[in-house]
Structure formats: C-alpha cells, structure tokens
Amino acid sequence: MTEPATKLVPTPGQTIGPFYGYALPYEKDSQLVHRAHPGSIRLHGTVYDGNGDPIPDSLLEIWQADEDGRIVQETGSLVRDDHTFTGWGRAAVDNVGHYTFTTVNPGATEEGKAPFIAVVVFARGLLNRLFTRIYLPEDTAALAGDPLLSSLPEERRRTLIAGREPNGDLRFDIRLQGADETVFLSFPGA
Amino acid sequence: MPANTDESFDESHVIESGAPVTDSDAAADTQDVISEQIAAIHEAYAKAKADGAAEETQPRIDFPPYRSSILRHPTKDLHHTDPETIELWSPAFGHRDVHPLEADLTIQHNGEPLGERIVVQGRILDGDGRPVRGQLVEIWQANAAGRYIHKRDQHPAPIDPNFTGVGRCITGDDGSYSFTTIKPAPYPWKNHHNAWRPAHIHFSLFGTDFTQRMITQMYFPGDPLFALDPIYQSITDQNARDRLVATYDHNLTSHEWNTGYRWDIVLSGSNRTWMENEEAE
C-alpha cells in the first residue's frame, strides 16, 4: 500500500475524560448479536494501567467481519433489533475495569488470512485513542503468516492473540503500560 | 468510588502543603508547578523543532502535567502497520440510528435550558479533503454552570433540569454537522490545586476507515484558562492547539435567538483505494 498524499493536517485528539458515561453508552451497545444467537460468544477482559491496577473509566469499541468473513455496511448499531449484524459495538468497562461484548467469531476476510477484531481504546488519562487488534487463536498457520504478527517479537506478538476459554468465550486483557504492554498500532496518514 | 481514581471535584480533598506526591491524582501541586512542567516540555519541543524535528500535530500521550496520564500511556512506540480489510472500512450509521432532533440539545426537556444558546456548525473532512458523508457525530458537555449530569460530577454548581448535554447527528453530503446547544462553562477538577478546565464540548467522530476513529474536545476562542490546562497543552504545537478552537461566526448567529461558532474537523487520511465514482458521488 502506498502512502496517500495527505493534504490537510488532522485535528488533534483529546482524552475522553471522566464524564462520558451518560453520553456514549446506550442500550445493547455491546451486544453485536443476541445472546441466544447460534454461535454467539462472550468477548471479555480487563483493562489495566502501568501499576497492574484495573482502569474503571475506559471505553472500548470493536469492529469486525461476520462469521463468514463479510464486512457489512448495515446501519442500526444504535437501535439494535437483535437481527441485524452491524459488526460494531461499544462497551464501557465496569468498576473493576472489566468489559464484555456479545458477538460472533469473525471469519477470515480473505482466504488464509488470520481473522481479527479491530479495537479502539479510550480512557480518562489517555490523551489520544489507541488502536489494537484481537486475533482469534485457532488458525496457527494463518497467524504465523500474518504480516503484523510476524513483524513482532514473540513476547509482544502474544499480547494480540485472545485466549479461548473452555466454553468458547474469548478472553482479551488490555495493558496500557508495563512489561506486558499490549501492542498498539499506528497507520499511514495519521 | 475512591477519590483518587476520579478527576471530578471533591470537596473532601485537603491540600497539605509540603506533602510528598504519592498519588498521580492527589491534587497536591500548585498551578505554578504544573505550568512550569508544561513550559519545560514546550520549550524542549520548540528547540527540537528549530533543530529540524517534525511539527507535532497530536497530543503527547506521555504528558506528566496531566497526572492521570502517568500510568495510562504506552511506553513502547506505537507499532506502524498498514491497515487491512476490516480496518479499511467504518461501521455504517444512518437516520435509522439518529433522529434529526437529537442535534438540538435545548429541546430535550419541558423547558428552555439556562445559558447562552449557541449553534456549533462545521464540516468533517478526511486528510485528502473529502467530506465525510452520512457519518455519526456524538457530543457531550457540561451545562452553563459547568456541571455535568454524570453521577460522579460532584462540583457544587447547579444541575439544569432542562439540560442533559448530549447530542448526536449524521453528517450531510458535504460532511456538514450542526448542533444547537448551550455554551458550557469551565469547571474545576483535581489534577492539581485550583485546577479548572477551559469550557469545551466533547466530540466523538467516525470516518470512512476505522483507523480514522477519534474523540476530541472543541474549545471556545479566547479562553483565559488555555495556558493553564494540561489537557489542552498536551498538544505541544500552537498551530495544532489552534485547530481545537472554534471561531465565532456572526453568519451563524441569528437575530434575537443564538450566537454561532464554526469548527471544521479533519480526520486522518483514508487508506482505502477510492473508486472514481465514489470520489465523484
């Protein structure tokens, strides 16, 4: 991919601050599918600071393909009808820094490609948003061939791969700082 | 909620002079200490820039004068990568999601909110100057007394029963948005002793690519608190800081009704390969 010729300078970001709680969360915001949807899973984890303490005022958003790897362009994320899959969801962490999404495992968007969920992290104290990815753990051949993962040393690479729990749920903790700091991404044109 | 995990105003917080700072949110420092730290960082940046370093356009995420950033920023460099598949698209929002009246924050209750009625209007463009069409914009803010509805905001300023301070809209074909609201007031927080945030409106924005997702704050021109605020000053370059300040626009002011502010927003460049017909649509 070539670097686009960016002509305008982007507006700076700022922290989400402490008081988003009455503004951004909404009913069913974290339910990309209904819990009764066949193949529904819980994607959950905890967001930690540099002391290893949970962050109680962070907000996450995910954006993903459906089970067949299709990228959908359906509206209706803000008014969930429990039928339309929009691929996007939002979850504020609870008082102990824990988040939960109800979703499906994304399929590979291209043959042989490692499926992942795109994530953006906001928090009080975090002056600009952070991007990362949650890779599914199963397709080890695809993970080995993934351009991003294969550009990382092993101890960094594993911060991007979710754990599969015995009941099929995905576990993915996010560490904003410290020895096991999650890999956060920057993109061309930023 | 323990006081040390919350930036909201807390009356019980006693400032002990000379006490060591043991807590990143302890509100123990004076404004002078914070201002000196800001000045030192800005001076180092100005020198680096004069020596040929690139102009900074985004906030530092490592900015100790904003105390709660200390443990909440990555210390490793962001890993540069090309966006792939899903990251080259954004979630779709539309009029199914947002009612047009949600853009008027002054009509959500039975009565008129107190304060200065304003219109805030502008366009959202990507880094290549393309309008961001049909996309979601969310805002939230304090009321005219500097109080948020949020339950953890304990600042003893009045809540306005006619003002919640939350709005949404979907951008037009030219990337335009427009909100009718009340001018928010500054409010105290406890980053340090006697800390006050400049008046601002929070903006949450989506682009055409997921990589353009951002949240920021719009400020009002001439605010005397700018120089003192470690969140605003975490942007080290004056040109970049200016991009967060709206302009008073008398063309958006209407006779005997509201004053008007204009603020245009530029997202980062799109990395998607745009079809000619998409460009020309």
Side-chain angles (χ1 to χ4, degrees):
Chain A
M1 179 159 303
T2 55
E3 189 97 8
T6 299
K7 299 170 195 80
L8 301 175
V9 181
T11 305
Q14 292 270 264
T15 180
I16 192 172
F19 297 138
Y20 56 82
Y22 71 102
L24 296 182
Y26 61 92
E27 197 188 348
K28 301 188 199 173
D29 55 2
S30 61
Q31 296 168 33
L32 285 78
V33 296
H34 192 275
R35 279 175 63 183
H37 180 89
S40 82
I41 57 163
R42 176 169 74 141
L43 162 64
H44 71 124
T46 300
V47 184
Y48 294 101
D49 72 10
N51 273 348
D53 293 326
I55 294 180
D57 37 20
S58 167
L59 181 115
L60 308 183
E61 291 174 357
I62 61 170
W63 168 231
Q64 64 166 85
D66 71 10
E67 290 155 291
D68 300 319
R70 277 188 305 251
I71 297 169
V72 301
Q73 290 287 281
E74 294 279 356
T75 63
S77 289
L78 300 185
V79 285
R80 305 262 190 220
D81 63 7
D82 296 331
H83 296 282
T84 309
F85 182 77
T86 66
W88 180 83
R90 172 180 283 170
V93 299
D94 63 19
N95 289 336
V96 289
H98 188 253
Y99 73 89
T100 299
F101 290 97
T102 309
T103 187
V104 291
N105 290 305
T109 50
E110 290 163 34
E111 183 76 30
K113 198 160 175 54
F116 68 85
I117 296 169
V119 185
V120 62
V121 182
F122 303 98
R124 177 181 74 84
L126 179 60
L127 280 157
N128 212 351
R129 81 279 176 270
L130 295 170
F131 294 104
T132 188
R133 293 180 183 175
I134 300 174
Y135 283 88
L136 304 192
E138 282 81 16
D139 190 343
T140 49
L143 291 171
D146 183 82
L148 167 62
L149 293 179
S150 52
S151 70
L152 292 165
E154 172 54 27
E155 74 275 12
R156 300 284 289 144
R157 180 182 183 269
R158 60 193 159 94
T159 70
L160 299 183
I161 302 173
R164 182 73 70 183
E165 299 185 321
N167 65 355
D169 289 349
L170 283 176
R171 172 87 195 194
F172 188 83
D173 293 333
I174 295 175
R175 292 179 173 80
L176 294 191
Q177 196 184 86
D180 297 328
E181 190 174 296
T182 303
V183 171
F184 297 105
L185 306 175
S186 68
F187 299 103
Chain B
M1 178 60 51
N4 67 358
T5 60
D6 194 343
E7 272 164 20
S8 58
F9 185 86
D10 182 351
E11 280 186 296
S12 68
H13 207 93
V14 179
I15 307 303
E16 295 173 47
S17 60
V21 180
T22 54
D23 173 347
S24 64
D25 288 331
D29 287 311
T30 62
Q31 180 68 56
D32 285 348
V33 167
I34 297 297
S35 292
E36 276 166 30
Q37 291 177 0
I38 292 171
I41 296 167
H42 286 196
E43 224 167 274
Y45 166 67
K47 187 172 179 303
K49 192 177 163 190
D51 291 345
E55 186 167 311
E56 294 183 9
T57 61
Q58 294 292 325
R60 299 268 180 102
I61 51 174
D62 177 6
F63 198 74
Y66 176 30
R67 297 304 193 217
S68 41
S69 75
I70 293 172
L71 290 171
R72 295 185 173 192
H73 71 272
T75 53
K76 298 178 170 66
D77 288 339
L78 300 183
H79 189 82
H80 194 72
T81 194
D82 280 332
E84 294 181 64
T85 60
I86 189 82
E87 290 160 337
L88 294 167
W89 296 86
S90 226
F93 298 94
H95 294 293
R96 182 178 175 189
D97 295 287
V98 180
H99 193 279
L101 291 182
E102 291 184 61
D104 189 341
L105 288 74
T106 69
I107 57 166
Q108 296 173 353
H109 302 274
N110 288 330
E112 289 280 350
L114 293 170
E116 179 183 346
R117 188 185 296 106
I118 60 172
V119 164
V120 178
Q121 191 171 309
R123 294 177 75 206
I124 300 170
L125 305 172
D126 73 11
D128 302 309
R130 283 183 291 250
V132 176
R133 301 176 169 128
Q135 200 37 296
L136 175 65
V137 183
E138 297 162 286
I139 66 168
W140 70 103
Q141 62 168 95
N143 70 19
R147 178 81 184 257
Y148 282 88
I149 287 286
H150 195 287
K151 62 180 184 294
R152 296 214 310 262
D153 184 1
Q154 297 299 313
H155 171 38
I159 283 175
D160 183 341
N162 291 316
F163 191 73
T164 303
V166 178
R168 292 169 176 165
C169 76
I170 299 290
T171 58
D173 274 351
D174 56 352
S176 63
Y177 72 88
S178 181
F179 290 102
T180 300
T181 185
I182 294 294
K183 194 174 181 185
Y187 65 84
W189 60 312
K190 57 188 197 68
N191 184 70
H192 53 281
H193 182 55
N194 202 13
W196 289 76
R197 297 283 344 269
H200 60 274
I201 299 177
H202 295 267
F203 271 72
S204 162
L205 304 152
F206 291 80
T208 53
D209 301 20
F210 189 68
T211 59
Q212 296 170 308
R213 178 80 180 97
M214 75 176 300
I215 283 179
T216 189
Q217 301 179 23
M218 186 208 90
Y219 299 92
F220 292 87
D223 196 313
L225 295 165
F226 281 156
L228 308 178
D229 178 42
I231 292 181
Y232 179 67
Q233 296 294 339
S234 69
I235 305 159
T236 54
D237 196 284
Q238 184 68 54
N239 292 332
R241 285 197 296 276
D242 289 346
R243 293 188 187 107
L244 292 184
V245 183
T247 308
Y248 173 74
D249 186 343
H250 202 62
N251 292 318
L252 294 177
T253 294
S254 26
H255 183 64
E256 294 185 351
W257 190 245
N258 69 270
T259 56
Y261 290 87
R262 182 169 296 283
W263 188 50
D264 293 331
I265 301 158
V266 180
L267 306 180
S268 60
S270 167
N271 285 287
R272 193 164 358 137
T273 306
W274 285 69
M275 300 295 139
E276 269 183 54
N277 59 353
E278 283 186 286
E279 297 260 18
E281 247 174 37

